[in-house]
Amino acid sequence: MLRAEDNRFLTESGPGTGVGELLRRFWLPVLLSEELPEPDGEPKKITILGEELLAFRDSRGVVGVVDQYCPHRGANLWLGRNEECGIRCVYHGWKFDTDGRCVDMPTSYPDLNAKDHIRIKSYPVREWGDMIWAYMGPAGDVPELPALEMALVPPSHRYVSKKWQDCNWVQALEGSIDTAHFTFAHLAFEKEENEILDIKKHFVNPLARVSTDHMRWIAEDPRPVIKVNPHEAGLVVAGGRLTGGDNIYWRIAQFLMPVHAYAPSAMPGENIFGQSFVPVTDTNCWIYTYAWNPERPITQAERDAYDRGNGVIAEVDEDYVPLRHKGNDYLIDRKLQKTKSYTGIRGVSEQDAAVQDSQGPIADRTKEHLGPTDLGIMHFRKVVMEAARALEQGTPPAQLKHQDRYAVRSGACVTSKTKDLTAVMIERFGDPAGFVGPPRIAAAE
């Protein structure tokens, strides 16, 4: 458990807070590229880390992320006209470019050059992997973008979406690196093969050949041994389950500082799933969800399946709100709960959201009782809190020097009981961190 002051420190993300300032030192996704589809199109209100901001794509196609309010009289710039490389306030016509500079001030005399002395808050922006990223930290310390493999592969090899969630970002991310909860939260308890196949379909590539052995091992061993390996970009969190023989079935997750996590599901050749957890306020977050395949394009059938909800990707409406959410009790089916699954909720993403939201807007970690399968969670908290406290003392996060080491993969494999996690990672990925480097196909397309 955590002390109350530590729980506040871990979960607060606003300006001036310890973890909030840590998050601001990294590039964070703030929108999908598809949310700003055209130059001079409709601007988009966004709230990130408690800050009310405005995003717009200007006449050149360049995206700006700026303060939402005009500095003249406080009118909301979302009402403004997006025109000729700037957003114009409809109250008195002040106009601002993507860098926050005032480029026109009709209410002032031209010879005063008053506009040259007015700026609004703006943040550096990049488009990367079909997402719009912003850097909200000190102006002189802009780091490189993280080399996430999903952004390195060609667009045809990835699928990107997002979903809203009604809880603090930390408990949502903790659920994603918890490799033990699958036995109850996601697995059907009927033994018939068609039921096992149905659950498997919702977690990995629906077109891949399914091994019922993997589901059986998860069902029969609810107490995986947890091993954690730190690396330059974050943590490997692996859960090993007995297979009934001389082997161990490993499910290997990744945590990448400060908000990214990869699901421990993909066998060789299958699509890999990842998530990025971005605080809106301290009590809700956007979760950017994506799948990619380093070897081949994502098929149309797979994309259609993801649109309907699959694995960490939720079925969402036009505003990216899941169709099964807190407001409608995730459409829980009590009959299904008695006959098919422990949750009675359809969809892995929705099952995760239900249990995470149920912990409260901000989980009270002073009341929890952690056990052996929570080792990855403990390490995650330690890494984040130590980095935030070091930053308060003037030491920047070490991961900012290793953005190339973000090109890692998660996955699953079966190995001998005699191999430790380092040997498993080297056997599965060729590197104890799961590092793969830029995919070979990136240069070919």
Side-chain angles (χ1 to χ4, degrees), residues 22 26 231-234 257 383 387 396-403 406:
L22 175 69
F26 293 82
H231 59 83
E232 293 94 336
M257 277 284 282
V383 166
Q399 295 81 7
L400 293 175
K401 298 179 181 179
H402 302 286
Q403 300 290 34
Y406 279 70

Side-chain angles (χ1 to χ4, degrees), residues 52-118:
E52 293 184 318
L53 303 170
L54 187 79
F56 67 100
R57 191 182 296 277
D58 75 6
S59 310
R60 305 164 295 168
V62 175
V63 175
V65 171
V66 301
D67 195 345
Q68 201 176 116
Y69 298 95
C70 179
H72 178 209
R73 300 272 293 279
N76 197 309
L77 290 171
W78 176 80
L79 296 168
R81 176 184 170 91
N82 189 2
E83 60 172 30
E84 298 175 351
C85 293
I87 190 84
R88 187 181 293 278
C89 180
V90 297
Y91 203 5
H92 296 90
W94 289 24
K95 181 178 173 180
F96 301 90
D97 67 12
T98 56
D99 293 322
R101 294 173 297 205
C102 185
V103 294
D104 191 23
M105 187 183 289
T107 57
S108 177
Y109 295 108
D111 58 325
L112 295 180
N113 295 320
K115 67 179 177 58
D116 298 335
H117 303 286
I118 298 293

Side-chain angles (χ1 to χ4, degrees), residues 166-167 171 326 330 352-361:
D166 287 299
C167 70
Q171 67 212 56
K326 183 177 180 180
Y330 316 95
D352 281 335
V355 294
Q356 293 157 11
D357 293 348
S358 76
Q359 294 174 280

Side-chain angles (χ1 to χ4, degrees), residues 2-12 362-365:
L2 290 183
R3 298 177 301 170
E5 55 267 36
D6 288 336
N7 196 43
R8 285 193 298 272
F9 184 82
L10 177 64
T11 56
E12 291 178 344
I362 303 176
D364 185 353
R365 293 171 179 79

Side-chain angles (χ1 to χ4, degrees), residues 281-420:
T281 68
D282 291 343
T283 57
N284 43 47
C285 60
W286 284 112
I287 304 177
Y288 291 80
T289 57
Y290 34 92
W292 78 97
N293 194 305
E295 305 299 333
R296 62 167 177 82
I298 304 292
T299 68
Q300 188 57 52
E302 289 170 327
R303 294 180 186 278
D304 292 343
Y306 297 151
D307 287 342
R308 297 191 298 269
N310 185 292
V312 302
I313 299 168
E315 185 177 13
V316 297
D317 64 17
E318 64 275 9
D319 296 316
Y320 304 97
V321 175
L323 301 189
R324 297 176 291 283
H325 54 80
K326 183 177 180 180
N328 59 20
D329 293 324
Y330 316 95
L331 301 181
I332 188 170
D333 184 332
R334 296 297 184 181
K335 182 178 179 182
L336 182 70
Q337 189 175 37
K338 287 183 177 293
T339 59
K340 301 290 185 182
S341 73
Y342 285 101
T343 65
I345 296 169
R346 298 183 185 276
V348 167
S349 176
E350 291 81 358
Q351 292 159 358
D352 281 335
V355 294
Q356 293 157 11
D357 293 348
S358 76
Q359 294 174 280
I362 303 176
D364 185 353
R365 293 171 179 79
T366 67
K367 297 179 179 179
E368 66 186 7
H369 296 80
L370 302 183
T373 62
D374 299 309
L375 187 62
I377 307 304
M378 300 177 200
H379 277 262
F380 157 73
R381 296 175 186 177
K382 184 173 184 290
V383 166
V384 171
M385 294 172 72
E386 285 186 352
R389 290 188 167 123
L391 182 60
E392 288 182 327
Q393 299 303 312
T395 302
Q399 295 81 7
L400 293 175
K401 298 179 181 179
H402 302 286
Q403 300 290 34
D404 60 321
R405 295 292 283 182
Y406 279 70
V408 298
R409 295 175 187 168
S410 59
C413 60
V414 179
T415 67
S416 167
K417 287 182 180 179
T418 61
K419 289 184 176 167
D420 63 16

Side-chain angles (χ1 to χ4, degrees), residues 119-147:
R119 293 183 71 99
I120 57 175
K121 177 172 61 180
S122 66
Y123 290 123
V125 175
R126 304 284 188 275
E127 291 200 64
W128 178 241
D130 297 323
M131 295 187 287
I132 295 168
W133 300 69
Y135 171 73
M136 300 170 65
D141 299 320
V142 182
E144 297 294 323
L145 283 160

Side-chain angles (χ1 to χ4, degrees), residues 229-241:
N229 271 3
H231 59 83
E232 293 94 336
L235 299 170
V236 173
V237 182
R241 287 178 165 87

